[in-house]
């Protein structure tokens, strides 16, 4: 009897595991036409800024944002052009243990996300400086829902810089 109960329990656990891993119904916003991700057509800079708890600086131009909806965690993108001082200030406000530093890669390992905004992938730009942080790891209560946030600051002409932020 105990052996039969153990088999029954194992079978039940397997069914529950398979049910939890099975694909969702067609009404789920996270699954679209056989892909496991899509761009939220109704989300932009305001939604990305709100999720990141990052204010776009007054006077910023070329502000763009998007949300990539994924099965496990959505990815929020935000980009704008502002003064270099403002962009550096936003990077400092992230509370990264390391300051902005040069970090150029010849490829975009996460795939092309900023291309969706009509921008080059910031990690491929030689002028870009990077900082990233896990907000819960540094006790940043302002960003409790954010698991990771990073910024790339690209120096432009004059005192201008493009800030590109990505968070999930």
């Amino acid at each position: 009897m105990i052996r039969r109960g153990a088999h029954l329990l194992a079978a039940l656990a397997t069914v529950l595991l398979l049910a939890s891993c099975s694909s969702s119904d067609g009404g789920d916003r996270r699954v679209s036409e056989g892909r496991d991700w899509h761009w939220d057509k109704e989300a932009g800079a305001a939604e990305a800024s709100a999720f990141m708890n990052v204010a776009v600086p007054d006077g910023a131009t070329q502000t763009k944002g998007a949300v990539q909806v994924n099965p496990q965690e959505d990815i929020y993108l935000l980009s704008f052009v502002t003064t270099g001082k403002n962009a550096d200030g936003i990077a400092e406000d992230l509370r990264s243990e390391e300051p902005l530093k040069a970090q150029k890669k010849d490829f975009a390992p996460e795939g092309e996300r900023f291309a969706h905004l009509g921008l080059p992938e910031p990690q491929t730009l030689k002028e870009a400086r990077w900082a990233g942080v896990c907000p819960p790891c540094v006790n940043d209560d302002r960003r409790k829902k954010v698991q990771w946030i990073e910024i790339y600051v690209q120096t432009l002409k004059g005192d201008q810089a493009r800030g590109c932020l990505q968070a999930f």
Side-chain angles (χ1 to χ4, degrees):
M1 184 70 169
I2 293 174
R3 188 175 202 169
R4 181 189 236 182
H7 287 295
L8 184 59
L9 186 59
L12 180 60
T14 302
V15 167
L16 290 173
L17 178 63
L18 290 174
S20 68
C21 294
S22 67
S23 63
S24 62
D25 68 0
D28 187 341
R29 73 179 189 96
R30 296 181 179 276
V31 178
S32 176
E33 300 172 15
R35 294 185 310 190
D36 58 353
W37 65 269
H38 68 274
W39 293 104
D40 184 337
K41 293 181 175 109
E42 297 178 13
E47 290 76 14
S49 176
F51 176 78
M52 295 177 189
N53 197 13
V54 170
V56 175
D58 290 337
T61 61
Q62 300 178 34
T63 302
K64 301 177 181 186
V67 178
Q68 186 185 63
V69 179
N70 292 289
Q72 293 184 355
E73 55 202 16
D74 297 343
I75 299 171
Y76 294 77
L77 305 177
L78 180 64
S79 175
F80 49 81
V81 173
T82 186
T83 66
K85 182 178 178 180
N86 283 343
D88 288 351
I90 289 171
E92 289 174 19
D93 184 61
L94 296 182
R95 301 183 182 171
S96 176
E97 294 178 357
E98 299 287 328
L100 281 169
K101 60 183 175 186
Q103 181 175 347
K104 181 187 181 300
K105 298 177 183 174
D106 293 329
F107 61 95
E110 300 91 19
E112 294 184 3
R113 293 191 179 126
F114 283 90
H116 178 73
L117 300 177
L119 300 169
E121 299 304 314
Q123 63 271 38
T124 64
L125 302 172
K126 73 176 186 173
E127 313 89 27
R129 296 173 294 136
W130 174 89
V133 67
C134 159
C137 301
V138 296
N139 298 316
D140 186 349
D141 291 335
R142 301 167 303 160
R143 298 183 177 98
K144 289 181 180 180
K145 295 180 180 180
V146 179
Q147 297 175 31
W148 179 258
I149 186 168
E150 61 187 17
I151 185 170
Y152 289 87
V153 176
Q154 176 193 12
T155 303
L156 302 174
K157 294 180 181 177
D159 183 35
Q160 297 293 292
R162 178 180 305 281
C164 292
L165 293 101
Q166 176 173 256
F168 59 87

